[in-house]
């Protein structure tokens, strides 16, 4: 059971990388769970999967209904079955969407239950890939408690790599127990590749791979086509494939 969270600055390509990574991992035979932890969720679109309900909807349901339930109801069991209802089963992986954040009510009760439920669900899989919103703060609510590895997606700039360094510090201060952190430079052009590799060395970052800027990907995105359907020989798909192999993910 390994949990990898994909993080980084806004717009660097976290979701695109997550989608392509998931596509490669499904070539192996790992039991795979994909989690979209961005409230503004778009991993389902990148994967070409339609989603009806989210964990957030189920949390709202519990808050609305819990006072109407008979006092001897096992509320954790009720919520757990609701969470399984929103788990989308694809042929080669399962997908969970966390959905919107809490409103103004008191959500401690539901979140406390969710923590235990998520711990148990994650145990059913060899590998969990989490696409997150920019930054790591939202993980601090700690519904997903243990992240083994952080995969920081950065664009090909020095600032992007400095953000990666900030994220490293944030992970420590949030006590996320992260065992490893890798950096992926995305949207890399032939002109800036060498410089990025040099910056990464200077900052002592484990640059696990670079993903080229890919015109085909940009076109798919513009046309609203799922990036997971990119041809295997497209530059970005190949770049992410090498990374997946290097990380032993399939
Ligand atoms: N390798 C690439 N080549 C070309 N375009 C790319 C590449 N990777 C990502 N993009 C484009 O960059 C934009 C942002 O990508 P994406 O949504 O994956 O970023 P994100 O980090 O998940 O953003 P957010 O912080 O909003 O969640 C998209 O338009 C996407 O198509
Ligand atoms: Mg995203």
């Amino acid at each position: 059971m390994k949990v990898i969270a994909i993080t980084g600055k806004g717009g660097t390509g976290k979701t695109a990388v997550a989608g392509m990574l998931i596509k490669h991992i499904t070539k192996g035979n790992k039991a795979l769970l994909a989690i979209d932890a961005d409230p503004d969720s778009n991993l389902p679109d990148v994967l070409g999967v339609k989603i009806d309900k989210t964990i957030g909807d189920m949390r709202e349901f519990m808050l609305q209904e819990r006072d109407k339930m008979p006092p001897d109801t096992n509320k954790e069991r009720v919520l757990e079955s609701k969470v399984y209802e929103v788990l989308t089963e694809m042929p080669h992986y399962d997908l969970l969407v966390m959905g919107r954040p809490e409103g103004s009510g008191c959500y401690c009760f539901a979140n406390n239950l969710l923590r235990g439920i998520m711990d148990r669900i994650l145990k059913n899989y060899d590998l969990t890939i989490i696409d997150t919103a920019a930054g790591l703060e939202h993980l601090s609510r700690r519904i997903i408690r243990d992240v083994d590895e952080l995969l920081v997606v950065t664009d090909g700039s020095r600032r992007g790599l400095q953000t990666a360094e900030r994220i490293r510090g944030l992970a420590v201060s949030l006590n996320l127990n992260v065992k490893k952190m890798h950096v992926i430079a995305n949207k890399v052009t032939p002109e800036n590749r060498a410089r990025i590799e040099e910056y990464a060395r200077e900052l002592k970052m484990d640059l696990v791979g670079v993903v080229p800027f890919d015109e085909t990907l940009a076109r798919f995105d513009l046309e609203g086509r799922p990036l997971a359907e990119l041809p295997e020989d497209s530059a970005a798909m190949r770049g992410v494939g090498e990374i997946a192999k290097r990380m032993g993910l399939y």
Side-chain angles (χ1 to χ4, degrees), residues 14-15 38 42 131-132:
K14 298 179 290 298
T15 308
D38 185 346
N42 42 30
D131 178 29
T132 71

Side-chain angles (χ1 to χ4, degrees), residues 9-17 38 42 131-132 134 186-187 211-214 217-218 221 227 236:
K9 212 165 62 147
T12 49
K14 298 179 290 298
T15 308
V17 168
D38 185 346
N42 42 30
D131 178 29
T132 71
N186 186 29
K187 308 190 207 184
V211 181
F213 182 89
D214 185 338
L217 188 156
D221 202 42
L227 299 182

Side-chain angles (χ1 to χ4, degrees), residues 229-246:
E229 288 170 14
L230 273 172
E232 284 280 326
D233 63 354
S234 76
M237 203 46 125
R238 266 191 283 130
V240 174
E242 278 164 30
I243 291 167
K245 212 175 287 165
R246 210 166 293 142

Side-chain angles (χ1 to χ4, degrees), residues 193-205:
R193 185 178 178 131
R195 214 168 330 130
I196 290 161
E197 286 169 347
E198 194 190 311
Y199 288 160
R201 263 195 308 275
E202 270 175 32
L203 292 170
K204 296 191 172 54
M205 295 272 169

Side-chain angles (χ1 to χ4, degrees), residues 11-74:
T12 49
K14 298 179 290 298
T15 308
V17 168
M20 291 186 278
L21 212 48
I22 288 162
K23 182 72 188 297
H24 283 289
I25 296 166
T26 55
K27 288 190 270 185
N29 50 13
K30 283 198 161 69
L32 173 65
L33 173 66
I35 297 182
D36 188 345
D38 185 346
D40 191 16
S41 75
N42 42 30
L43 185 62
D45 291 338
V46 162
L47 293 170
V49 179
K50 205 180 149 346
I51 287 293
D52 299 321
K53 287 218 162 67
T54 68
I55 301 270
D57 296 327
M58 297 302 124
R59 180 169 44 211
E60 289 297 334
F61 166 87
M62 277 311 279
L63 264 110
Q64 311 270 316
E65 298 299 315
R66 75 162 163 169
D67 295 333
K68 299 176 203 153
M69 291 173 189
D72 59 347
T73 309
N74 182 332

Side-chain angles (χ1 to χ4, degrees), residues 55 58-85 106-118 120:
I55 301 270
M58 297 302 124
R59 180 169 44 211
E60 289 297 334
F61 166 87
M62 277 311 279
L63 264 110
Q64 311 270 316
E65 298 299 315
R66 75 162 163 169
D67 295 333
K68 299 176 203 153
M69 291 173 189
D72 59 347
T73 309
N74 182 332
K75 298 190 177 69
E76 183 160 14
R77 289 284 280 280
V78 173
L79 185 56
E80 186 157 12
S81 71
K82 288 278 166 197
V83 169
Y84 275 101
E85 262 178 44
C106 175
Y107 288 81
C108 300
F109 152 78
N111 282 344
N112 286 338
L113 294 185
L114 272 175
R115 268 179 211 113
I117 294 169
M118 289 305 290
R120 284 198 294 282

